[in-house]
Amino acid sequence: GCVLVVSVIEQLAQWHNSTVKAAVERLCNYIPGKYQVICHMLCCCCSRKMNADVVCHSLKLCKQDPGQPLCHLYPPPKVHQLWELMHSSSFIFIPLQKSFMGFSSICAFPLLANLCEKIKYVLRNKLPFEDFDGDKFSTFPTLRGYHWRGRDCNDKNTTVYPGRRPDNWDAKIDSNCNGIWGVDPKDGVPYEEKFCKGAGSRGVVLLGDSAGAHFHIPPEWMTVTQMSAKSFANLPMAFSNELDWPQFSEMTGFLNSTIGGWTDSLYLRLRKRNRCNHRDLQNISQNGGSSGNLLDLIKSLARNQLLDNPAIVIYATIGNDVCNGNRDTLAHMTTPKEMLSNVVQALRYLDSHLPNGSHVILTGLVDGRFLWDNLHDRYHPLGQLNRDVTYSQIYSFLDCLQVSPCSGWLTSNETLRNLTSERALQLSNVLKEIARSEKFANFDIFYMDFPLRQTAEEWHRMGGEPWQLIEPVDGFHPSQIAAALGTSITWQKALQEWPQVLGKENPFNEQIAAVFKDQGGH
């Protein structure tokens, strides 16, 4: 983090031909409102002669453990230069630097303490922080609120929430938050009964990882030629969503994307097919999600077996069972035996919580060799100004720090990349066999490969380049474009092979739209 911030400061000074101190002021002025104060406290800077690695090691924000390699993003300076550069006269410290050095965590800053406590609660429980009636749905967007689950339409009534079967056909209140309620004065029939009875209403639930949660760090946060106050306007929202953007995601996205592509999602397509499905979505994903830790995450599922509509559950941990940042990465990958046990346990939990008539789709793991093949020699946003930082360097830096999102794929070692893909295929085959052989009382089960190859082919037909399907900052996650194209491919496969999963098209959609023009919005 220190290296990234100092790099940006140095590049701002270069781009605007200013002093480093002026660059710090410029960067902090880009930050929204009260966070500017924190920015000033965090930004310690140096002479432009010093690269970011030297600065951060000098400030003791980065360290080299005994016996470990010296991790650096930029070429290290010569030994005789290092002493000069680390001499205190080279530094420009802000007055509050001493107080900063005493903090072990950013959450120690008073202005962030409250937000940090909220985020810690959310990280532990994966439930909306603001949920007054305890039904696991919220009227607040972030902190696991309605960006992650359908918006509650009455947060003071625990029997009112998205996805439930209507109470008395919602003649008096909107008990399922789909915006359809009341009685048609022409014939006295409740609108919900008229439009939704027999329509096969169903919700979409994602059990996934950071790809499903749609992890994204805006590239303009690190690209000084594009940087402005507008670039950081969404910073508070992004942090309170754990740097995830589920509101634009492949399975549960519902807002128009603002992050470099368009939004298409399984939820939006189900809603278009049957407007009675409005707001019935749950994105139960976490950064780092794997078949193992999903066993705990799944407990935040909100589905009442007796009162709610059936659901389509997508089980998609596409990488973390083989991805980790350990030096001996192969030893820390999930084994086929562990995968079998983890997934079957999760399915048994679902069988005890999902209403009868639900469906589960198991998604295979991705072949991550696509990442290195298409990015390693390209310039990272941090290296575009001076053409000095490639993705290969970023991957090596993160690997050295042992914080790589995937040491097995983000590496120059072709043998290791191949072995990682081999394990991923083995785990996908476990999922495929589960779908073929296991039976459950309340849902049927299907398997589909992660559609990376089809997505790349479709994007190529549209005139795009493969690297545009990967998140530009982390060089690891699917981009907004990849998410939208993946939705289309998944939907077409379901239409052709499992039409019963998607339900039939509601013949009353146009009438619903006419009567309920806004339909409650999101």
Side-chain angles (χ1 to χ4, degrees), residues 67-362:
Q68 298 296 321
L70 176 67
C71 299
H72 57 88
L73 183 58
Y74 301 92
K78 295 178 181 178
V79 175
H80 74 274
Q81 294 174 324
L82 188 60
W83 184 88
E84 286 180 32
L85 296 176
M86 291 178 65
H87 191 268
S88 60
S89 63
S90 297
F91 290 92
I92 306 169
F93 293 115
I94 60 173
L96 291 171
Q97 187 242 353
K98 285 187 178 179
S99 64
F100 168 67
M101 295 297 288
F103 287 121
S104 61
S105 166
I106 192 171
C107 290
F109 290 108
L111 289 173
L112 281 185
N114 187 43
L115 177 61
C116 283
E117 285 306 309
K118 290 182 178 181
I119 292 175
K120 287 176 185 176
Y121 171 88
V122 168
L123 290 174
R124 283 194 304 269
N125 299 285
K126 298 300 185 221
L127 291 171
F129 180 81
E130 191 174 279
D131 176 18
F132 297 111
D133 58 12
D135 59 10
K136 300 184 180 180
F137 294 92
S138 177
T139 59
F140 188 75
T142 62
L143 293 170
R144 293 280 164 166
Y146 69 77
H147 281 172
W148 299 83
R149 302 167 187 249
R151 184 173 181 172
D152 202 340
C153 53
N154 186 343
D155 207 17
K156 296 179 181 179
N157 188 336
T158 190
T159 67
V160 174
Y161 54 84
R164 69 161 294 170
R165 292 197 295 270
D167 181 23
N168 195 28
W169 291 114
D170 283 1
K172 294 184 178 181
I173 65 168
D174 186 8
S175 67
N176 55 18
C177 301
N178 68 358
I180 305 171
W181 67 284
V183 175
D184 189 338
K186 295 177 182 178
D187 54 21
V189 178
Y191 286 115
E192 182 95 34
E193 182 178 4
K194 178 177 289 191
F195 295 145
C196 302
K197 184 178 181 180
S201 299
R202 62 200 64 200
V204 58
V205 178
L206 174 67
L207 294 172
D209 51 23
S210 52
H214 210 38
F215 185 87
H216 167 79
I217 299 175
E220 56 270 24
W221 288 4
M222 297 185 188
T223 312
V224 298
T225 56
Q226 303 172 15
M227 198 174 289
S228 66
K230 184 179 178 181
S231 306
F232 292 92
N234 53 22
L235 185 146
M237 182 274 293
F239 276 114
S240 55
N241 264 347
E242 305 157 54
L243 291 175
D244 296 323
W245 307 70
Q247 67 273 33
F248 307 141
S249 68
E250 179 177 353
M251 295 301 169
T252 64
F254 61 88
L255 292 178
N256 290 330
S257 173
T258 58
I259 56 173
W262 64 99
T263 300
D264 191 2
S265 71
L266 183 60
Y267 162 72
L268 282 177
R269 292 187 175 230
L270 283 170
R271 182 182 178 276
K272 184 177 180 181
R273 191 171 180 82
N274 180 5
R275 288 179 68 94
C276 300
N277 293 331
H278 184 56
R279 293 193 188 178
D280 195 356
L281 63 100
Q282 295 182 55
N283 191 315
I284 303 178
S285 302
Q286 69 178 13
N287 298 335
S290 66
S291 66
N293 53 35
L294 242 64
L295 293 174
D296 187 55
L297 179 67
I298 200 173
K299 295 173 185 175
S300 65
L301 172 71
R303 214 66 177 183
N304 186 303
Q305 202 162 43
L306 299 178
L307 298 178
D308 297 350
N309 286 319
I312 303 171
V313 178
I314 314 297
Y315 184 102
T317 56
I318 66 171
N320 290 308
D321 282 285
V322 296
C323 285
N324 58 74
N326 294 286
R327 294 263 161 78
D328 52 344
T329 182
L330 290 171
H332 288 82
M333 293 178 185
T334 302
T335 66
K337 183 178 180 181
E338 291 168 338
M339 189 74 169
L340 176 63
S341 174
N342 292 339
V343 176
V344 170
Q345 284 184 67
L347 293 173
R348 287 172 181 163
Y349 183 91
L350 290 175
D351 200 32
S352 66
H353 286 75
L354 293 178
N356 188 262
S358 295
H359 311 275
V360 174
I361 300 174
L362 303 178

Side-chain angles (χ1 to χ4, degrees), residues 367-423:
D367 185 348
R369 288 176 291 193
F370 184 88
L371 303 168
W372 178 269
D373 292 345
N374 289 287
L375 281 186
H376 74 278
D377 56 353
R378 295 189 60 81
Y379 289 110
H380 185 269
L382 209 59
Q384 288 173 7
L385 181 64
N386 296 311
R387 303 177 71 82
D388 60 347
V389 179
T390 63
Y391 282 93
S392 176
Q393 289 169 261
I394 289 284
Y395 294 157
S396 296
F397 182 50
L398 296 177
D399 191 50
C400 180
L401 295 170
Q402 297 184 57
V403 295
S404 171
C406 196
S407 295
W409 276 324
L410 308 184
T411 174
S412 59
N413 186 331
E414 184 179 7
T415 300
L416 185 54
R417 298 199 302 270
N418 291 338
L419 288 172
T420 304
S421 289
E422 183 180 318
R423 176 63 61 86

Side-chain angles (χ1 to χ4, degrees), residues 20-61:
V20 174
K21 184 177 181 180
V24 172
E25 293 293 326
R26 184 184 299 274
L27 177 62
C28 289
N29 286 337
Y30 289 158
I31 305 298
K34 64 184 181 182
Y35 299 95
Q36 289 186 8
V37 177
I38 300 161
C39 175
H40 285 291
M41 295 174 74
L42 289 176
C43 286
C44 306
C45 44
C46 63
S47 150
R48 263 200 271 171
K49 294 185 295 180
M50 302 177 64
N51 73 38
D53 297 310
V54 175
V55 173
C56 294
H57 279 277
S58 301
L59 294 177
K60 297 183 171 34
L61 294 176

